[in-house]
Amino acid sequence: MSGKHILILGGDGYLGWPTAMYFSNRGYEVTVVDNYFRRNACAELDVGMLYPVPTLVERAKIWHGLTGKEIKVVIGDLTDPEVMRGLFEGRVAYAWAVDKSFTGKPDTVMHYAEQPSAPYSLINYRYANITVQNNLLVTNNLMWALRDFSRDTHVVHIGTMGEYGTPNIDIPEGWIEIEHNGRKDRFLFPRQASSLYHTTKIMDTDLMWFAVRMWDLRVTDLMQGPVYGIETEESKMADGGGQKAEDRGQRTEVGGQKTEDGNAGGQEPSAMNQELSANSQQLRARSHELRTIFNYDEIFGTIVNRFIVQAIVGYPLTVYGKGGQTRGYLNINDTLQCVHMAEKTPAEKGELRIFNQIMETFSANDLAEKVKRVGKALGYDVKIDHIENPRKEAEEHYYNPTYQGLIDIGVEPHYLTDDVLKGVFKVVEKYRYNIRQDVIFRGIRWT
Amino acid sequence: MSGKHILILGGDGYLGWPTAMYFSNRGYEVTVVDNYFRRNACAELDVGMLYPVPTLVERAKIWHGLTGKEIKVVIGDLTDPEVMRGLFEGRVAYAWAVDKSFTGKPDTVMHYAEQPSAPYSLINYRYANITVQNNLLVTNNLMWALRDFSRDTHVVHIGTMGEYGTPNIDIPEGWIEIEHNGRKDRFLFPRQASSLYHTTKIMDTDLMWFAVRMWDLRVTDLMQGPVYGIETEESKMADGGGQKAEDRGQRTEVGGQKTEDGNAGGQEPSAMNQELSANSQQLRARSHELRTIFNYDEIFGTIVNRFIVQAIVGYPLTVYGKGGQTRGYLNINDTLQCVHMAEKTPAEKGELRIFNQIMETFSANDLAEKVKRVGKALGYDVKIDHIENPRKEAEEHYYNPTYQGLIDIGVEPHYLTDDVLKGVFKVVEKYRYNIRQDVIFRGIRWT
């Protein structure tokens, strides 16, 4: 055990849950917090996920059954400052934990607790309002909780490359020196995003930069591109379960040790162990359910994931307009590497450290062609459809971002090879009968 | 009558109410909206105003009694999108109006509806939260209401020079061209503010710039410096009331004309006229109560106004630290001129037009010396106290902002002369027995 404590805000999401397993698997003490925003939004908007996902409490139990490791679960809305502050002060009720005593102040906070969809933010004024309110209040509450209780804690925040937009000059990693009328100063690179969601991330940057300067906090802000992929090392442990079976003894021991502290919530230690033991076989049988939430709809699905699903069900790939929109992309496994490397080499006190978290750039046309090629090799008849662009964005533009900082601190990039795409195809194929064609595209308009 | 309709969000504040009278006096149809945020905050925080101020409804009645002109009043919280949208759709209940029928979509919206105090935003996490929530939801709700109902309406928003902070390069009016690695583009000047309140204004800029680009809205954002002063042409009409008495006949006529439309709320037209007529003498007697809210405390008072009050009660002028903090300032009458000129020459569709709304720059030491000099001439023994700076800010710095745009569209600056200062002294002196020394300074710390 590293003994380090990681608090993951937004631990139920596409990146949040894989991050929780990743750090738990490496010996960190992990606490996840979520209010099920994503799931509730998927239900409300009737956009199906590729497969049902157990609750966070169930996932934490399955994970514990598989590995003997504990991921503490808090269900709460972080726009409420009291919920946020409780995580630092110890006023926290775990929805599930082997040891329900307070873990203590986190060494690192992974801040994923944001409404993450551009189309969602533009459905109408209500969703716009939810996006602004959720994203900014959570960030503000986090900054104040750190100010008041834990100024040394390192925050790793997921920003977005979309904050920069598509300027006509090269994009540095967050900062730029400007010379004007013979004088110089260093500034945040001027940002202008093309959706309201992306704009809230700019506003996060403003807010965090204020807090960092004022209170000497430590923040790493990762300007991430769209992520693709489904499996991670931990989600695949289910298949290689035999290898991990030796953990079971340790698990019971860990559970026993911890509950000897006399703090197992409402249950006696022996009752808790009994439950874990009786259920362990069932829990291990469910370990394929540790896979992350996977959306393939226009609102919550990311482009590569969406295209693969569309290829499998014979839905022409939806390229918006000319398809020259160029962005940086990365594999979900590289997101995990990036936040890990950022965690291992924290920002200094008073530093807002910014990395561009992408591994390569592609146009929408490039991605469509790749998915088409791999799909054909797998026997699918993949068509590409250039539909009217529901967004207001440049379809042909200059794009030259720098992305070296994360590699400099040890990240080893995975690239979007045909084999990687095939791997995603293979997992999605298992759930092909779940795919609802009616939720793939509804044409939420930017204007 | 120009027939133009001005909607003033935040019509109860230090600038909002004088703006309402200013435009009403010039023949505009004026509607004011407020939720009494400032008054409630003053009560909650126990910071007295220099004199009591009637409710918005009372003020509108007094104004009507004095001039025969109607300022429609809406009491509502604009963080609720339904309240905002009602102002454009016609779902609006006037708390007071001669003619309670919907005025229609505004030609211009003056957006003052923000929590305006830097110290307030840093009292603690609750006030920080209120500031973020209020300022950004109101702006977001306004942008969406315009998008959905009135894309031609021109918004005049009060930003702040504090958005720029104190960079080591010259400050242009909002925008800058950046050359980087041999390529060029035009950007918002990079902003970094020194309080949370000021940071919410940066976030407003981000939000409005997104909305302007996406939906072709028209916005003028005025980067204002701290305002000083108390009297405006309209607040002084009480004294010169004889001159305006001839308006009385017209007033009754206007009331009569309007109510003939058959829409006078719960009252019959004749009853409304009767009330107005019976009360008119009393209302005119109260017309000195049209003066704007005037705060002299650390939270809501601006520096020149505070120093004058301190000089009068013998409270040493509170200069923070070295006093080299340099900012741009303007007279409350110039704020009115500026918003008027901005209104007369609206921004183009798709334009976020930015002006730096200051008339001259001073250091805190300069201001203290001026107030001391004028105070001495008036017989006060004025002392200056360099107290420990409760803020985290540079006390000596480069500061060279441009402020030419408003003059180019017709604003004629008033400067902070000794006579102007004397004028404020003379009004404040009338209320000297109301001044509470205990609320002048409490030392809200930035860190």
Side-chain angles (χ1 to χ4, degrees), chain B residues 243-303:
Chain B
Q243 194 192 343
K244 290 283 163 185
E246 63 216 46
D247 283 341
R248 264 172 277 159
Q250 194 201 342
R251 168 178 53 79
T252 313
E253 195 184 308
V254 170
Q257 275 179 342
K258 295 236 166 160
T259 48
E260 273 166 25
D261 298 345
N263 195 320
Q267 290 184 300
E268 289 303 304
S270 59
M272 170 67 86
N273 286 343
Q274 217 172 346
E275 184 206 329
L276 290 172
S277 181
N279 291 340
S280 63
Q281 202 174 348
Q282 188 199 351
L283 290 172
R284 281 194 305 281
R286 293 182 62 191
S287 53
H288 64 281
E289 295 184 46
L290 293 173
R291 283 207 191 94
T292 190
I293 283 179
F294 187 96
N295 283 97
Y296 57 90
D297 62 284
E298 170 194 2
I299 297 174
F300 291 114
T302 52
I303 184 166

Side-chain angles (χ1 to χ4, degrees), chain A residues 82 125 129 141 168 183 206, chain B residues 82 125 129 141 183 206:
Chain A
E82 302 307 336
Y125 71 98
N129 225 300
N141 288 338
N168 194 39
R183 301 177 63 91
D206 297 329
Chain B
E82 303 305 338
Y125 70 99
N129 225 302
N141 288 338
R183 300 178 63 92
D206 297 329

Side-chain angles (χ1 to χ4, degrees), chain A residues 81-82 85 121-122 124-126 128-129 132-133 136-137 140-141 144 147 151 167-170 176 178 180-181 183-185 187-188 190 192-196 199 202-203 206-207 209-210 213-215 392 398 446-447, chain B residues 81-82 85 121-122 124-126 128-129 132-133 136-137 140-141 144 147 151 167-170 176 178 180-181 183-185 187-188 190 192-196 199 202-203 206-207 209-210 213-215 392 398 446-447:
Chain A
E82 302 307 336
R85 296 168 77 81
S121 72
L122 290 164
N124 65 32
Y125 71 98
R126 286 178 210 269
N129 225 300
V132 169
Q133 187 150 356
L136 298 174
L137 291 184
N140 189 51
N141 288 338
W144 280 84
R147 171 195 189 274
R151 295 192 185 196
N168 194 39
I169 64 175
D170 296 346
I176 189 168
I178 297 177
H180 179 57
N181 296 348
R183 301 177 63 91
K184 281 183 191 176
D185 205 348
F187 297 92
L188 283 170
Q192 64 178 25
S194 70
S195 91
L196 184 64
T199 302
I202 296 176
M203 295 154 89
D206 297 329
L207 202 47
W209 175 221
F210 168 73
R213 274 178 296 139
M214 207 49 49
W215 305 318
K392 186 165 174 177
Y398 183 75
W446 257 225
T447 55
Chain B
E82 303 305 338
R85 296 168 77 82
S121 72
L122 290 163
N124 66 33
Y125 70 99
R126 287 179 209 269
N129 225 302
V132 169
Q133 187 151 357
L136 298 174
L137 291 184
N140 189 51
N141 288 338
W144 280 84
R147 170 196 188 274
R151 295 191 185 197
N168 195 39
I169 63 176
D170 295 348
I176 188 167
I178 298 177
H180 178 57
N181 297 347
R183 300 178 63 92
K184 281 183 190 175
D185 205 348
F187 297 92
L188 284 169
Q192 63 178 25
S194 70
S195 90
L196 183 64
T199 301
I202 296 176
M203 295 154 88
D206 297 329
L207 202 47
W209 175 222
F210 168 73
R213 275 178 295 139
M214 207 50 49
W215 306 318
K392 185 165 174 177
Y398 184 75
W446 258 224
T447 54

Side-chain angles (χ1 to χ4, degrees), chain B residues 259-447:
Chain B
T259 48
E260 273 166 25
D261 298 345
N263 195 320
Q267 290 184 300
E268 289 303 304
S270 59
M272 170 67 86
N273 286 343
Q274 217 172 346
E275 184 206 329
L276 290 172
S277 181
N279 291 340
S280 63
Q281 202 174 348
Q282 188 199 351
L283 290 172
R284 281 194 305 281
R286 293 182 62 191
S287 53
H288 64 281
E289 295 184 46
L290 293 173
R291 283 207 191 94
T292 190
I293 283 179
F294 187 96
N295 283 97
Y296 57 90
D297 62 284
E298 170 194 2
I299 297 174
F300 291 114
T302 52
I303 184 166
V304 178
N305 292 352
R306 280 193 285 123
F307 279 181
I308 290 169
V309 168
Q310 291 176 236
I312 288 173
V313 294
Y315 193 110
L317 309 188
T318 44
V319 173
Y320 297 164
K322 292 178 186 163
Q325 302 91 322
T326 301
R327 303 286 184 272
Y329 294 87
L330 80 165
N331 189 306
I332 191 168
N333 290 288
D334 284 352
T335 292
L336 301 180
Q337 266 200 80
C338 288
V339 296
H340 190 196
M341 292 302 140
E343 180 274 332
K344 286 213 288 192
T345 60
E348 299 294 323
K349 284 181 78 67
E351 184 190 10
L352 173 64
R353 182 176 60 164
I354 300 173
F355 293 126
N356 293 344
Q357 185 160 305
I358 58 178
M359 299 301 150
E360 52 197 330
T361 64
F362 299 108
S363 69
N365 286 330
D366 293 337
L367 296 175
E369 290 300 333
K370 274 177 179 285
V371 170
K372 182 174 178 175
R373 183 174 64 241
V374 172
K376 288 219 158 172
L378 293 170
Y380 294 103
D381 178 24
V382 184
K383 293 199 166 50
I384 295 174
D385 198 0
H386 285 263
I387 63 175
E388 189 197 339
N389 196 342
R391 307 182 172 196
K392 185 165 174 177
E393 62 184 359
E395 293 174 7
E396 289 171 325
H397 56 88
Y398 184 75
Y399 198 64
N400 189 25
T402 303
Y403 42 102
Q404 183 61 37
L406 285 162
I407 291 165
D408 289 346
I409 62 169
V411 170
E412 293 172 10
H414 295 75
Y415 296 106
L416 185 57
T417 61
D418 286 5
D419 276 349
V420 166
L421 282 170
K422 250 179 229 166
V424 183
F425 265 91
K426 288 296 171 196
V427 179
V428 174
E429 279 172 344
K430 295 183 193 171
Y431 301 100
R432 59 186 305 166
Y433 299 112
N434 290 346
I435 298 169
R436 290 175 53 190
Q437 297 213 20
D438 60 322
V439 308
I440 288 175
F441 183 74
R442 67 174 72 178
I444 294 165
R445 299 189 67 82
W446 258 224
T447 54

Side-chain angles (χ1 to χ4, degrees), chain B residues 10-21 24 32 34 36 38-39 49 51-67 69-73 96 230 235 283 286-294:
Chain B
D12 191 48
Y14 175 56
L15 301 177
W17 177 248
T19 302
M21 293 193 293
S24 177
V32 292
D34 212 292
Y36 292 131
R38 166 76 73 99
R39 295 167 189 246
M49 295 182 277
Y51 40 76
V53 169
T55 64
L56 262 181
V57 169
E58 285 178 282
R59 287 163 136 185
K61 287 182 176 177
I62 295 168
W63 176 247
H64 186 264
L66 181 69
T67 65
K69 294 173 196 298
E70 179 199 37
I71 294 175
K72 294 189 183 194
V73 177
W96 186 82
I230 187 162
S235 75
L283 290 172
R286 293 182 62 191
S287 53
H288 64 281
E289 295 184 46
L290 293 173
R291 283 207 191 94
T292 190
I293 283 179
F294 187 96

Side-chain angles (χ1 to χ4, degrees), chain B residues 89-117:
Chain B
E89 282 183 294
R91 289 184 290 108
V92 52
Y94 296 106
W96 186 82
V98 177
D99 173 1
K100 291 203 172 185
S101 63
F102 179 52
T103 307
K105 290 175 191 170
D107 298 287
T108 307
V109 177
M110 301 286 168
H111 174 15
Y112 297 142
E114 308 216 27
Q115 190 296 96
S117 160

